[in-house]
Amino acid sequence: MALSLADLLGTPGLHLKNLGSVRTPLTSAIDWVAVTELENPQGFLSGGELVLTTGARQGTADAQRSFVRQIKQAGAVGIGFGIGFEHDSVPAALLAEANRWAVPVVEVPYSTPFIAIGKLVADARSSDHYIKLERLLREHQVLARALLTGGGLPALLMKLSSMVAADLVITQYGGEVAATSAGAAPDDDAWHAVALSTGKRDSSTLWLRRPFHDDGIVDYARGLISIELNNLVQRRQSARQIAGQVISDIVRGTLEAADSSARLENLGIAPASKNFVLLVSTETNKFPTLATITLPAGLESAVAATISSEGKQELLLVVPTQAGDPAALGRALSHQMHNIKITAPVGIGGAYSQANGLRWSYFEAREAATRGLEVNVPERLSLTSLLLASEDVPMADMAAEALGPLAAFDAAHGAELVDTLESYLRLNGSVAAVADALALHRNTVRYRLTQITELTGYDPALTPDRVQLWLALAVRRLSPPA
């Protein structure tokens, strides 16, 4: 325990005497002992010191009063004045000024060396430091045991909460990972934020509700939490990649029905129950962050999967219908992504059972996402999604056969036949509207439509052929990962 002036006065061997006013408190802890003979030692003090001096440079009353004021401004706990050197007693001017400013003054007899006082204070501080280290080590072991014996971050957080006497929350990627109380919403006013380093750009933070008590254990806990968060990200990423491989096989229709059901059950998806899909596709450079994002509250029961193939980077969530309203959950996911600067649209598929229903929901979600809103719900049954979800209809082959010649011609000649066809169908076959949209002459548009007819064998002006080309473009846009 740190010593105070009262403790030193009570030490028999020092023979110290209190000369200050009885109103001056002597209970402040002494952080250190500073020995000085400077007229103004303020620049060498940091506060909390007992200043020992013989008054070698305090020959005048003004110098003595100035010395006291400098000590007061520095935040020292008091003055120990050694007599028998330059002064036979503590100068009256120094004592009067000290009483005026409530600075304790202790008389140190000639027989008591300053080093004896310094050693007592240092030993007490060392003992305090050792006791604190022992306590921190015990608390660190408690936290590590809570983490490693299966309790994970929630168990660690509960132990830490009791140590700091405050509610705690851990957030990552803008979402809550663990908390000691439900419904906590950390903010900068009522909470103290401690940054957690995981080696990833995930904005991980430990929040402590003010007021809290911290004797150093929070710094110990930061390291444990950071390591566990990094491990969680790695495990989350691996689990989503494995789920993505299974769902990719189901979407492509390469599995038998029984095999599909068995694999879905292994992922924690009940094939007989209705599930819907939330789908997000984003740029390659942002996908690593999206692939490991913490899911918002309400989506705890969802199975997350990542699909990365042929330039398509997708996060797919298979959500049981009992989890809640799809649009509300989609908005929660969108909000979570905005927290980490990802603004990709969220597509929502319909709720269906069995593996084939999952395929249908996937294509509906992918088609819905093309509308570009923050959250896109399936408006109606989609013919394209229905055909793509059917294992018996070779839609991808049909699309490749119809559009392959156009894509090859565009690549070889730098043409824009596919874009022209998409604009023509989107604008309901209006040559004038296509010309305005693409900044072309109408004759150029007509010439390109003639080329499209010659290369594909389908005339965009004829309704049956137009339907065929429209389906081919939709399949090309929504085709599953290879």
Side-chain angles (χ1 to χ4, degrees):
M1 177 178 179
L3 295 178
S4 65
L5 277 173
D7 295 325
L8 291 179
L9 287 167
T11 303
L14 296 180
H15 307 293
L16 304 181
K17 184 188 297 184
N18 179 29
L19 298 182
S21 168
V22 294
R23 296 172 299 175
T24 302
L26 304 176
T27 56
S28 298
I30 301 171
D31 290 335
W32 201 244
V33 171
V35 179
T36 182
E37 300 300 342
L38 297 174
E39 293 180 5
N40 180 10
Q42 183 178 351
F44 299 92
L45 302 175
S46 58
E49 298 94 348
L50 171 62
V51 179
L52 302 180
T53 182
T54 64
R57 297 190 180 183
Q58 300 174 34
T60 67
D62 285 344
Q64 294 157 11
R65 285 191 286 268
S66 176
F67 183 81
V68 173
R69 289 193 294 272
Q70 302 305 327
I71 294 301
K72 174 67 176 179
Q73 292 174 10
V77 299
I79 299 172
F81 200 96
I83 61 174
F85 297 91
E86 300 296 327
H87 301 270
D88 292 331
S89 61
V90 178
L94 183 145
L95 192 56
E97 191 72 10
N99 287 337
R100 177 187 176 194
W101 293 104
V103 176
V105 177
V106 174
E107 180 186 271
V108 183
Y110 180 83
S111 59
T112 300
F114 286 171
I115 193 172
I117 299 174
K119 187 175 186 305
L120 280 175
V121 172
D123 287 347
R125 297 296 296 179
S126 296
S127 176
D128 274 357
H129 184 62
Y130 180 74
I131 292 172
K132 179 181 178 181
L133 284 178
E134 280 192 323
R135 184 176 65 254
L136 286 176
L137 287 172
R138 286 196 302 270
E139 291 178 341
H140 187 255
Q141 290 171 352
V142 169
L143 295 179
R145 194 158 46 244
L147 181 66
L148 299 176
T149 54
L153 282 179
L156 182 151
L157 216 57
M158 293 302 296
K159 293 292 185 183
L160 181 60
S161 175
S162 66
M163 294 173 185
V164 300
D167 286 331
L168 306 175
V169 176
I170 298 173
T171 58
Q172 186 182 42
Y173 292 116
E176 181 183 298
V177 176
T180 56
S181 61
D187 58 68
D188 293 335
D189 294 329
W191 295 74
H192 175 69
V194 178
L196 300 171
S197 175
T198 63
K200 299 180 182 296
R201 303 175 67 178
D202 54 20
S203 300
S204 297
T205 306
L206 169 65
W207 298 86
L208 299 92
R209 191 193 294 272
R210 296 188 177 98
F212 60 91
H213 167 71
D214 178 22
D215 57 0
I217 189 60
V218 172
D219 280 337
Y220 274 92
R222 285 175 68 185
L224 286 174
I225 295 172
S226 295
I227 293 171
E228 182 62 14
L229 283 177
N230 190 58
N231 290 338
L232 281 175
V233 168
Q234 299 299 331
R235 292 197 293 269
R236 193 183 298 146
Q237 186 175 28
S238 298
R240 291 177 182 179
Q241 287 174 345
I242 293 171
Q245 293 170 2
V246 173
I247 293 177
S248 292
D249 289 341
I250 291 173
V251 167
R252 289 197 302 267
T254 58
L255 301 176
E256 297 293 334
D259 195 10
S260 295
S261 296
R263 294 197 184 189
L264 286 177
E265 288 177 348
N266 288 337
L267 294 179
I269 300 172
S273 301
K274 287 188 175 181
N275 300 279
F276 61 88
V277 167
L278 297 182
L279 188 69
V280 181
S281 179
T282 189
E283 304 88 32
T284 301
N285 63 325
K286 292 186 177 181
F287 186 64
T289 301
L290 178 65
T292 55
I293 188 174
T294 306
L295 298 182
L299 287 172
E300 299 92 344
S301 58
V303 173
T306 53
I307 299 175
S308 176
S309 179
E310 295 187 349
K312 297 182 186 296
Q313 311 285 340
E314 296 175 335
L315 172 66
L316 180 149
L317 305 182
V318 181
V319 189
T321 53
Q322 58 267 30
D325 176 50
L329 294 173
R331 287 191 293 271
L333 178 60
S334 179
H335 177 73
Q336 190 89 315
M337 294 192 302
H338 281 146
N339 288 338
I340 53 175
K341 313 302 182 188
I342 295 179
T343 57
V346 177
I348 303 176
Y352 310 105
S353 60
Q354 305 302 329
N356 207 45
L358 177 60
R359 300 180 75 238
W360 193 351
S361 185
Y362 168 83
F363 288 113
E364 283 191 345
R366 179 173 263 200
E367 186 172 26
T370 63
R371 292 197 292 274
L373 301 176
E374 284 190 0
V375 178
N376 304 269
V377 298
E379 295 180 349
R380 61 183 66 128
L381 292 177
S382 165
L383 175 61
T384 309
S385 298
L386 176 61
L387 292 174
L388 279 171
S390 172
E391 301 177 20
D392 300 322
V393 181
M395 293 296 292
D397 294 339
M398 181 276 290
E401 180 182 352
L403 300 179
L406 300 186
F409 187 87
D410 285 349
H413 301 90
E416 298 177 342
L417 296 184
V418 174
D419 289 343
T420 302
L421 177 60
E422 285 184 323
S423 298
Y424 182 76
L425 297 179
R426 187 180 70 253
L427 297 171
N428 299 315
S430 172
V431 172
V434 174
D436 289 342
L438 299 182
L440 298 173
H441 192 280
R442 295 184 185 184
N443 288 338
T444 302
V445 175
R446 293 189 182 97
Y447 176 69
R448 289 186 178 181
L449 292 173
T450 299
Q451 287 181 296
I452 290 170
T453 301
E454 292 175 350
L455 288 169
T456 65
Y458 296 109
D459 185 351
L462 300 177
T463 298
D465 290 359
R466 185 182 297 184
V467 170
Q468 192 82 359
L469 292 170
W470 178 82
L471 282 173
L473 286 171
V475 170
R476 182 172 181 265
R477 184 173 66 251
L478 301 174
S479 59

